[in-house]
Amino acid sequence: MSFSAVDVIRVKRDGGGLSDAQIDWVVDAYTKGVVADEQMSALAMAILLRGMNDHEIARWTAAMIASGERLDLSSVPRPTVDKHSTGGVGDKITLALTPLVAACGAAVPQLSGRGLGHTGGTLDKLESIPGWRAALSNEEFAAQLRDIGAAICQAGLGLAPADRKLYALRDVTGTVESIPLIASSIMSKKIAEGTGALVLDVKVGSGAFMKSVDHARELARTMVELGRAHGVTTVALLTDMNTPLGRTIGNAVEVQEAVDVLAGGGPDDVVELTVVLAREMLGAVGLDDIDPAQVLAQGKAMDTWRAMIRAQGGDPDAPLPAATETEFVRAPVNGVVESVDAMGIGLAAWRLGAGRARKEDPVSAAAGVVLHKRPGERVSAGDVVAELRADDPARVPAALELATAAVVIDTLPLPGRPLIIDRIG
Ligand code: URA
């Protein structure tokens, strides 16, 4: 059935509901170039302003999945479970979590992305490991899941091509921040990836897409419903993103911190979130009798990490790239670190070269921020609170200004915020 794009836009502009046939047609016609970018921009804006009901969101997601291939992981003998984070600052959880859950007996088919703006991307982080490659064919991906149980790689071009086109358009038309569009975008890719179960880490706070708990809960609820409607066991955690996760923000620095976690160390919040998410993932595939904290302590996850990195050409023993420029943010007074703003530090890391402004920009492996002090820790005037690293000295002054403004020191500590805010599932 064929429609007029203008009629479809008018229905949503005037607050109506789109029919199944209209949704199927417009997503397919846009993917094929029959509906023009300017028409889809208008429709995306109408959706952002008017919303979509649950049935429309489910149909829109199904149409995006149908625009490409759905991976078949039936040759993988273990139960499959993946994790998706909606994006944060210092969020290196995937790096240690993927081998940990594999070491516990599940297979983790992790298709990841690159960073854009202030949030980092898992592939950019892993590419700081000499030799590591992000691209795997569908056959290599399935083989690695069979052999090791863990693979982190970039999504092939065949997966939800409608989303790839639409996401790029939303990025330049002010239509990213729509819960129906975000939920359908994330879930179409995760469902097409072929995972049997999914745990969502929905970030809330200054460094996240979702600034309020209510919006984050609504996004989580929508995604959990979409997963279930497509036969994927899905649960979501709402987690704090007002403060960066851990002590490192960047690429190589985050890999090093994840390796520290695998070696039994690392910051408390990174270890806590890794173990909590691992428990959820194992529970989702019926492996609740395995204790991920114990598996981590036994060093088994480190063995899986090394095998996973080697399988993709990386050398887990090679030194990570080091920066040529270093600058420090120092405490101006004696006191306690009251807060370290995730958005400010994310932007500082981005300015230092750890992130990109446009999709095609390169990133610096060595650039980033290392927090020497976290909220609640005491400082004396002159102590280093944060260390900035870059390859290019011209990048340092703007980052120093942002990082300095992100750190608040007071005489009394604020009560700590819980890392895990809610669970939906
Ligand atoms: N991540 C996605 O994949 N899609 C969105 O719309 C937002 C974040």
Side-chain angles (χ1 to χ4, degrees):
M1 198 185 292
S2 173
F3 294 89
S4 143
V6 176
D7 287 346
V8 176
I9 296 165
R10 282 198 186 113
V11 170
K12 192 41 76 183
R13 181 199 66 189
D14 296 340
L18 300 177
S19 69
D20 290 355
Q22 283 172 325
I23 290 174
D24 294 350
W25 176 79
V26 81
V27 171
D28 180 57
Y30 177 58
T31 311
K32 292 179 174 149
V34 173
V35 166
D37 275 349
E38 56 271 26
Q39 293 174 312
M40 191 48 122
S41 307
L43 182 58
M45 185 58 82
I47 292 170
L48 180 134
L49 296 172
R50 294 295 198 167
M52 287 204 279
N53 63 36
D54 284 353
H55 182 81
E56 288 175 286
I57 301 173
R59 191 73 186 200
W60 187 275
T61 307
M64 298 229 286
I65 297 167
S67 73
E69 60 181 336
R70 193 166 172 170
L71 296 190
D72 177 8
L73 299 179
S74 57
S75 68
V76 179
R78 311 176 185 203
T80 52
V81 56
D82 193 9
K83 187 262 327 187
H84 177 83
S85 157
T86 56
V89 176
D91 186 357
K92 71 277 297 171
I93 299 294
T94 295
L95 303 180
L97 179 66
T98 302
L100 173 58
V101 172
C104 293
V108 187
Q110 171 71 232
L111 294 181
S112 291
R114 296 180 190 284
L116 192 64
H118 74 283
T119 61
T122 298
L123 301 180
D124 296 326
K125 294 170 200 186
L126 284 167
E127 277 174 346
S128 63
I129 300 172
W132 188 85
R133 68 186 166 101
L136 292 181
S137 67
N138 292 352
E139 292 70 31
E140 286 173 319
F141 186 58
Q144 196 170 316
L145 289 170
R146 281 195 299 273
D147 297 345
I148 301 170
I152 304 177
C153 76
Q154 74 187 25
L157 295 180
L159 218 75
D163 176 64
R164 190 166 319 106
K165 209 173 163 192
L166 180 56
Y167 191 43
L169 187 73
R170 287 165 55 213
D171 203 28
V172 293
T173 55
T175 50
V176 169
E177 298 90 344
S178 149
I179 287 179
L181 293 178
I182 296 174
S184 55
S185 165
I186 291 172
M187 294 305 290
S188 62
K189 286 174 287 203
K190 287 290 153 184
I191 294 164
E193 159 195 286
T195 190
L198 179 64
V199 175
L200 298 160
D201 180 4
V202 179
K203 301 284 184 204
V204 196
S206 82
F209 258 126
M210 296 287 133
K211 310 290 178 202
S212 83
V213 173
D214 286 348
H215 282 125
R217 202 172 273 126
E218 176 59 15
L219 176 62
R221 186 201 62 78
T222 308
M223 291 195 290
V224 167
E225 286 300 315
L226 284 173
R228 293 207 177 134
H230 286 89
V232 178
T233 309
T234 308
V235 288
L237 297 183
L238 264 51
T239 70
D240 180 68
M241 188 29 71
N242 283 304
T243 307
L245 264 173
R247 292 187 182 270
T248 59
I249 302 91
N251 297 309
V253 285
E254 292 199 33
V255 170
Q256 185 55 57
E257 191 165 85
V259 171
D260 293 346
V261 170
L262 291 164
D268 291 351
D269 59 340
V270 179
V271 175
E272 180 189 345
L273 191 53
T274 303
V275 170
V276 167
L277 286 167
R279 283 212 175 95
E280 289 288 353
M281 291 169 76
L282 294 169
V285 292
L287 294 173
D288 355 30
D289 50 327
I290 315 263
D291 178 7
Q294 208 178 357
V295 172
L296 189 61
Q298 288 162 343
K300 290 187 194 160
M302 178 68 101
D303 297 341
T304 306
W305 160 264
R306 294 173 64 80
M308 177 182 88
I309 296 301
R310 279 213 187 90
Q312 290 176 240
D315 177 356
D317 298 313
L320 294 168
T324 52
E325 308 297 320
T326 311
E327 180 59 272
F328 299 102
V329 176
R330 292 180 187 277
V333 290
N334 295 343
V336 176
V337 178
E338 186 188 285
S339 58
V340 177
D341 179 57
M343 179 59 113
I345 295 292
L347 289 174
W350 172 63
R351 287 282 184 158
L352 289 165
R356 51 171 70 76
R358 289 169 309 152
K359 277 203 300 293
E360 44 292 339
D361 292 346
V363 298
S364 156
V369 179
V370 178
L371 297 175
H372 289 221
K373 302 285 178 189
R374 287 188 32 93
E377 294 182 355
R378 296 211 151 269
V379 285
S380 302
D383 280 357
V384 173
V385 179
E387 179 185 330
L388 312 186
R389 298 182 183 176
D391 291 327
D392 175 359
R395 289 182 168 274
V396 174
L400 183 61
E401 200 173 313
L402 284 160
T404 304
V407 175
V408 177
I409 297 187
D410 208 339
T411 45
L412 287 175
L414 283 179
R417 272 186 283 247
L419 183 56
I420 317 291
I421 299 165
D422 202 357
R423 180 183 188 279
I424 285 132

